[in-house]
Amino acid sequence: MTYDPTGHLLLTPIDQEAPARVRRLRELGLGEQPDPAFDEFAHRLAEVTGAPYSMVNFIDENRQFFAGLHTPAGTHSGTDLGATAAAAGGGGVGRFMARDHGYCPHVVVRRKALVLEDVCDYPRFAGNPVVDEIGIRSYMGAPLIDRTGTALGTICVVDTDVRPWGRAGLETIKAMAAELVEQIHRREDGMI
């Protein structure tokens, strides 16, 4: 867990469910490699929401892995979001990100969708490293809770501009998360 030394805010939530999540992800064969179906889902998510970046994100104890990724440039390389973004002048996105970066770990622990139209409006979230290192200004994500009750990860969209996602955005991200969970269940059942 990470604290903001000046404000003593807990920036990364304690995740008691992480060991069970890792076991479940291994059972499902998820979270270790890119998946073309998840890339396609992320692309569709970006189209539906109008966001430049979208991800299908699985989270373990130490990192986040974007098994599905859509970026404006269509690049899906690199190993660390921050390092890749810095090397690309702020625009590159990779498949891995530290657990203390971004907002998806909050979504997984809360087990609820999160909409941040302007992350700077929320002191708890404005201090996150993705704001200064990558320039993220808005975020919308929803948890992927499977049939066992495990929060496997999230789907999310981010933008470097403030976005008025509104109630419609919230309903869209929740509906698309449910759709992806059903896809994961069909895979598990051998139907895909």
Side-chain angles (χ1 to χ4, degrees), residues 18-92:
R21 176 180 318 105
V22 169
R23 283 191 299 277
R24 181 68 176 140
L25 287 170
R26 285 189 183 129
E27 283 176 20
L28 295 169
L30 300 175
E32 293 294 324
Q33 59 190 7
D35 186 307
F38 292 155
D39 281 340
E40 179 55 37
F41 187 90
H43 177 73
R44 194 162 59 86
L45 179 60
E47 285 183 335
V48 168
T49 62
Y53 300 92
S54 61
M55 296 93 167
V56 174
N57 185 10
F58 298 114
I59 302 171
D60 66 21
E61 294 101 329
N62 303 307
R63 68 177 190 179
Q64 303 175 66
F65 177 71
F66 305 129
L69 178 62
H70 172 84
T71 68
T75 56
H76 307 325
S77 62
T79 57
D80 176 80
L81 187 74
T84 304

Side-chain angles (χ1 to χ4, degrees), residues 155-172:
I155 60 168
C156 70
V157 294
V158 297
D159 201 333
T160 55
D161 294 320
V162 173
R163 293 289 299 264
W165 305 111
R167 176 60 108 180
L170 174 64
E171 294 306 320
T172 297

